[in-house]
Amino acid sequence: MAIQYFWRHPLAEQVREEGREQGRIQNQQEMTLRVLEWRGIPVPDAVRERVLACADLGRLEVLAQRAVRATDAAELFADE
């Protein structure tokens, strides 16, 4: 029986952590868009693309909070 030492290697841990980070980013992006959709707010392609292009978890948190209160999808980016 072969022992899989690769999974204990620092490079393997780095790859796993990067995957977890990417998963958190993707989940936050999707949740932000879902909140708008659940609230019946139309999400134009331009807004969807901007949310999906954002890879900063802090910024995505701000966008998600705004999605809860927004009356229009464009309000997510009101400060820009």
Side-chain angles (χ1 to χ4, degrees), residues 11-51:
L11 178 60
E13 181 56 37
Q14 179 183 351
V15 169
R16 280 192 298 273
E17 184 55 37
E18 289 172 4
R20 285 191 285 272
E21 180 76 8
Q22 185 58 39
R24 287 189 289 270
I25 289 169
Q26 186 176 2
N27 286 340
Q28 192 70 24
Q29 292 166 335
E30 292 171 0
M31 183 55 66
T32 300
L33 296 172
R34 269 192 231 124
V35 167
L36 291 171
E37 291 167 357
W38 290 336
R39 295 187 60 228
I41 298 172
V43 181
D45 289 340
V47 171
R48 182 177 305 280
E49 289 171 11
R50 287 181 73 181
V51 170

Side-chain angles (χ1 to χ4, degrees), residues 49-61:
E49 289 171 11
R50 287 181 73 181
V51 170
L52 295 176
C54 183
D56 178 351
L57 279 171
R59 179 72 176 144
L60 285 166
E61 179 67 26

Side-chain angles (χ1 to χ4, degrees), residues 1-13 16:
M1 181 172 170
I3 298 174
Q4 300 290 330
Y5 289 107
F6 173 75
W7 300 113
R8 296 183 194 165
H9 192 278
L11 178 60
E13 181 56 37
R16 280 192 298 273

